Amino acid sequence: MKNFTLSLYAFHLARNFNDPLDRATEAGAKTFGQELQGKLATQINLKPELTTLLLHDTYFADLTFSAPVSALDFTPDQIKQFQPRELLPDNTSTLMGQTIGIYGEVASKLEDKEVNQNLADDYVRNFLENTPYKNDQITASNHSNLLGFSLFEYFCLAPQSDQSSKTTRHILVLLNHQGKNSLEKLRLYYQDIVNLLCSYHKIKLVYQQAELSYQAALKEAQEIEKEIDNFENYVSNKNRYLDNLSTMLDRLPLLALNHADYCGELELDRITIEINQQNYQDSLQKLLNTGSNLDSWQEFSNQTKNIFLKQIQYWLNYMNPRKELGQQLTASIRGIVEIEQAGIDRELQNTIQSVGTGIGVGVGVGGIVATSYPLITKENPLQFPSAQLPPHPIIIAIGLSLLSGGGLGFLAWNFTRKRLKSVPTRNLELNPADQKSDRPPT
């Protein structure tokens, strides 16, 4: 292979929807590229050629290493001198995405598909030989034609220890059968290719985020549904579980808020993927209009539209009705607690009124005691009764006053209590909780 080059196409999301537009600048893109260039130059001992672009909200850096001029025929095993492990480090996880590009001029023809495929495979296998990526973790697309160049696309799965991140490495091999003079085609459509790769990585990243948002929203929805089950148990015995209902009032608003936030993130992910799918398709169509045959790239566009977007919409359709559950349940519990508390306050007020009435009557009648005090005189002093001495008149008067006061007080309390209880109270008619449907498959 002649005029061999190895490129790292790195993409970094510079701002989000909520960030000001001036947060992503061309100067920022240049700084991003220079920092990456300096890091790789130190690690690989070769300084790559740098190209930077600002792609709306994304920084792009193209770092291209060239084979030594003396290497007239750059063989697959020589690719190891670029230290591929440094181009595929774990610390690039901060990037939105990256693509490795392998380019060279070959003597074979475009029609020699098997020969070209074997050659591309050799370069990729040697490139990954000393990296954590194994050969059985590499998948390749069918032969494609990009501007008259043979294009082969490879996807390398993350090492087994990092499967949870679903990280894949993206490698493109471009074989030039037309000689160095044909590079003008690549320069002419360079921006379209970069835009397409940017949309590709953004779609992949945002879809992974959408999966996480859905799982988080689902977890919050399950917690809300547990509270619905508890509510159904508590409402059958409101007096006993009034404290539990009050505790639910403290938990539910936060659950409902978190659930709504995750659903909002899911909707934002859907919009982002929808926009980037259209951008991807626009860039792809420009390349297809040149006569390129890019079936695998068209397949990804179709997958995004027919699978990714539909799956996210399905998740939203499942979650949207559940956004109301927390609010409805909170309103129902608050109504029950307020009514039950009002009933308790009313019962206490009735008791106070009844007792007060009884005491008032008792005190009124008991006032007779005071009027009986003059019965104690020098001629008839107060003495405790005995068998020979009858009860003193004041004792008889006080006893009769207590009996009459207590009896009348009891009658007044009992009458007032029954009278207050006979006043009708307002009842609360609660709508049954929404029925819970089966959880959709993820």
Side-chain angles (χ1 to χ4, degrees), residues 393-409:
I394 194 173
I395 294 178
I396 297 174
I398 291 175
L400 291 175
S401 297
L402 291 176
L403 288 174
S404 61
L408 289 174

Side-chain angles (χ1 to χ4, degrees), residues 53-340:
L53 292 172
L54 173 63
L55 307 174
H56 303 293
D57 57 359
T58 304
Y59 292 157
F60 167 72
D62 173 352
L63 298 109
T64 297
F65 299 87
S66 299
V69 178
S70 58
L72 298 179
D73 186 12
F74 194 84
T75 58
D77 62 303
Q78 291 178 292
I79 200 173
K80 299 173 187 177
Q81 67 181 271
F82 292 104
Q83 301 182 36
R85 180 182 288 271
E86 304 301 334
L87 295 171
L88 301 171
D90 293 336
N91 58 17
T92 58
S93 59
T94 57
L95 299 177
M96 184 182 77
Q98 67 173 36
T99 294
I100 297 295
I102 298 174
Y103 165 86
E105 299 171 12
V106 295
S108 60
K109 297 180 180 180
L110 180 65
E111 296 78 14
D112 299 332
K113 296 182 179 180
E114 185 175 353
V115 174
N116 295 329
Q117 179 76 67
N118 291 335
L119 181 61
D121 289 349
D122 284 343
Y123 277 96
V124 172
R125 278 195 295 267
N126 278 274
F127 178 76
L128 298 174
E129 184 175 334
N130 296 322
T131 70
Y133 300 89
K134 299 179 181 179
N135 289 340
D136 59 358
Q137 293 178 297
I138 304 172
T139 58
S141 66
N142 294 328
H143 172 271
S144 296
N145 173 2
L146 173 61
L147 305 173
F149 298 81
S150 291
L151 174 65
F152 300 92
E153 189 172 22
Y154 297 83
F155 305 94
C156 310
L157 297 179
Q160 191 65 33
S161 60
D162 193 30
Q163 283 296 312
S164 59
S165 67
K166 299 183 179 179
T167 302
T168 59
R169 302 303 185 187
H170 187 225
I171 300 177
L172 298 177
V173 177
L174 198 63
L175 303 181
N176 184 355
H177 310 280
Q178 308 168 57
K180 193 172 183 179
N181 294 333
S182 62
L183 289 178
E184 184 59 31
K185 292 181 181 179
L186 286 178
R187 297 189 185 98
L188 183 61
Y189 289 94
Y190 178 81
Q191 181 79 50
D192 296 313
I193 296 173
V194 170
N195 287 338
L196 182 142
L197 291 176
C198 179
S199 296
Y200 165 81
H201 286 295
K202 191 174 292 185
I203 289 170
K204 296 281 285 186
L205 174 65
V206 174
Y207 186 73
Q208 290 182 19
Q209 293 174 345
E211 290 180 312
L212 296 177
S213 296
Y214 169 70
Q215 292 297 330
L218 182 61
K219 182 178 179 180
E220 297 296 326
Q222 290 170 343
E223 290 297 319
I224 293 175
E225 290 175 355
K226 288 180 182 178
E227 296 295 348
I228 292 176
D229 293 336
N230 293 334
F231 172 75
E232 293 172 352
N233 294 329
Y234 296 156
V235 77
S236 61
N237 194 340
K238 297 184 288 295
N239 292 331
R240 181 179 178 184
Y241 293 112
L242 190 60
D243 290 341
N244 299 75
L245 292 174
S246 298
T247 301
M248 289 175 66
L249 278 179
D250 295 333
R251 282 173 42 81
L252 276 171
L254 182 58
L255 289 175
L257 179 62
N258 289 340
H259 182 263
D261 284 344
Y262 290 129
C263 289
E265 291 177 5
L266 196 59
E267 174 63 21
L268 187 60
D269 292 338
R270 185 194 66 80
I271 294 173
T272 302
I273 291 178
E274 188 174 57
I275 293 173
N276 281 275
Q277 190 275 333
Q278 186 60 57
N279 293 340
Y280 182 96
Q281 186 62 44
D282 291 344
S283 299
L284 177 60
Q285 192 59 51
K286 292 179 182 179
L287 298 173
L288 293 176
N289 291 340
T290 65
S292 299
N293 181 8
L294 302 166
D295 291 342
S296 62
W297 288 4
Q298 182 62 63
E299 182 180 347
F300 178 77
S301 180
N302 296 338
Q303 181 188 35
T304 301
K305 184 176 182 179
N306 299 325
I307 297 180
F308 293 169
L309 287 174
K310 286 185 177 181
Q311 179 64 67
I312 294 177
Q313 188 60 58
Y314 182 58
W315 289 337
L316 285 170
N317 292 343
Y318 177 73
M319 283 298 166
N320 282 335
R322 282 153 179 77
K323 288 196 296 185
E324 308 297 329
L325 282 180
Q327 299 175 357
Q328 293 174 356
L329 183 58
T330 300
S332 298
I333 295 174
R334 182 172 288 113
I336 290 178
V337 171
E338 289 176 354
I339 289 177
E340 289 301 311

Side-chain angles (χ1 to χ4, degrees), residues 343-413:
I344 293 173
D345 294 343
R346 182 183 182 86
E347 188 68 26
L348 178 60
Q349 184 181 10
N350 292 348
T351 301
I352 293 173
Q353 290 181 4
S354 300
V355 173
T357 301
I359 291 174
V361 173
V363 169
V365 177
I368 300 173
V369 174
T371 62
S372 302
Y373 183 76
L375 295 175
I376 304 175
T377 64
K378 292 181 179 181
E379 294 79 14
N380 191 14
L382 178 61
Q383 296 180 353
F384 289 101
S386 61
Q388 293 78 23
L389 185 65
H392 193 280
I394 194 173
I395 294 178
I396 297 174
I398 291 175
L400 291 175
S401 297
L402 291 176
L403 288 174
S404 61
L408 289 174
F410 174 77
L411 291 175
W413 169 78

